[in-house]
Amino acid sequence: MPRLSEVISALDALWPPERAESWDAVGTVCGDPDAEVTRVLFAVDPVQEIADEAIALGADLLVTHHPLYLRGTTTVAAGHFKGRVVHDLIKHDVALHVAHTNADTADPGVSDALAGALDLRVTGPLVPENNLGRICELDHPETLADFAARAAKRLPATAQGIRVAGDPGMILRRVAVSGGSGDSLFDAVRAAGVDAFLTADLRHHPVSEATQHATRSAGPLGLVDAAHWATEWPWCEQAAAQLDEISDRHGWDLRVHVSKTVTDPWSSHHTSPGAPN
């Protein structure tokens, strides 16, 4: 059986920590480098439900995309919900490792997994300087409405579902995708000349400005807004497959799992007629 330090070295080769943004918190949060690893669980969020799942599974290593302590901390006391996660993992000999923005910019990375889940053909990065996002082509032209339906069918279901901005009947041939929050990338999207952009966490003002900008100067731009968790979950399957290949190559015989627990924080969606204007 490999030791944790060996598995982490393999993961760092896939997603080099030096490629993480300066504000990020990636790497190993807890775990004994000399401990043996036989079972690994991949998930998006290091929340209590996922820690409980890792413990119940008998995992020796939990790998998540999102950091537990993104903004740092001065305590891991179990009286705090994040401290409780650390205590429970350590108590049951489960290591925690994070690959966040270093997985976003990897090749393949988070956006490659998103494109793969949507059955899109990647032609290049959306932002070449840091390999962020992907420009993709459709096998056949389709409407914005059909593309949104494709996303709704192929991405994990969440309370938010899929939101669309733009003419549902507009024809798409080239699209951009970016896993996670993507409304800071509109300049790159416009420069790429794509017909639509699929990402998550789109806010009112950037969307309004993007649609108005497209209408006035660069032709229509369709926007597809999915849940943050849903756009990043496909990376877990991609990452698990990568570790499986490494395990086979080294004869480690790891048992690698992907959590299907929905940790998107939104729990329900309601549609109302609205108040009179």
Side-chain angles (χ1 to χ4, degrees):
M1 291 297 104
R3 299 194 181 278
L4 176 63
S5 58
E6 296 176 277
V7 179
I8 296 303
S9 292
L11 298 183
D12 283 347
L14 293 175
W15 317 299
E18 61 269 19
R19 290 185 62 91
E21 296 285 349
S22 59
W23 48 263
D24 206 359
V26 303
T28 304
V29 178
C30 62
D32 180 354
D34 292 326
E36 289 188 345
V37 177
T38 61
R39 194 181 298 267
V40 182
L41 178 66
F42 283 87
V44 175
D45 296 300
V47 294
Q48 189 66 51
E49 301 98 301
I50 298 299
D52 293 343
E53 182 178 348
I55 292 165
L57 184 66
D60 308 293
L61 171 62
L62 170 62
V63 180
T64 65
H65 181 51
H66 288 153
L68 180 64
Y69 288 109
L70 180 58
R71 290 171 175 79
T73 186
T74 58
T75 177
V76 293
H80 187 269
F81 69 92
K82 293 189 177 185
R84 170 52 60 191
V85 168
V86 174
H87 275 253
D88 286 350
L89 291 176
I90 292 175
K91 188 185 300 181
H92 293 88
D93 296 319
V94 183
L96 172 61
H97 186 78
V98 173
H100 191 211
T101 52
N102 50 328
D104 289 332
T105 58
D107 185 11
V110 171
S111 293
D112 293 290
L114 175 57
L118 297 171
D119 199 23
L120 302 173
R121 181 162 55 89
V122 173
T123 61
L126 176 61
V127 186
E129 307 90 87
N130 59 6
N131 200 39
L132 191 64
R134 293 293 182 265
I135 298 172
C136 309
E137 290 187 353
L138 302 173
D139 287 337
H140 305 284
E142 66 184 34
T143 66
L144 177 60
D146 286 340
F147 181 65
R150 177 203 293 241
K153 180 180 180 180
R154 293 177 178 268
L155 295 180
T158 62
Q160 171 187 314
I162 302 293
R163 300 189 300 177
V164 179
D167 177 5
M170 67 180 293
I171 300 299
L172 312 183
R173 293 177 176 82
R174 297 175 71 243
V175 300
V177 301
S178 181
S181 304
D183 64 16
S184 65
L185 301 177
F186 278 130
D187 286 345
V189 170
R190 282 191 287 267
V194 296
D195 303 310
F197 180 38
L198 184 149
T199 188
D201 298 338
L202 292 179
R203 297 169 295 162
H204 174 90
H205 292 295
V207 169
S208 178
E209 291 172 3
T211 55
Q212 290 299 309
H213 184 283
T215 299
R216 290 176 177 274
S217 63
L221 175 67
L223 298 176
V224 181
D225 182 37
H228 189 119
W229 175 85
T231 65
E232 293 181 332
W233 183 85
W235 171 80
C236 295
E237 290 196 322
Q238 175 180 276
Q242 289 176 287
L243 183 56
D244 265 331
E245 190 277 328
I246 292 170
S247 174
D248 290 344
R249 187 170 1 116
H250 290 285
W252 287 348
D253 196 28
L254 292 177
R255 285 160 288 180
V256 183
H257 306 262
V258 175
S259 174
K260 293 184 174 11
T261 301
V262 178
T263 54
D264 183 77
W266 301 103
S267 58
S268 63
H269 174 82
H270 298 273
T271 301
S272 70
N277 290 331

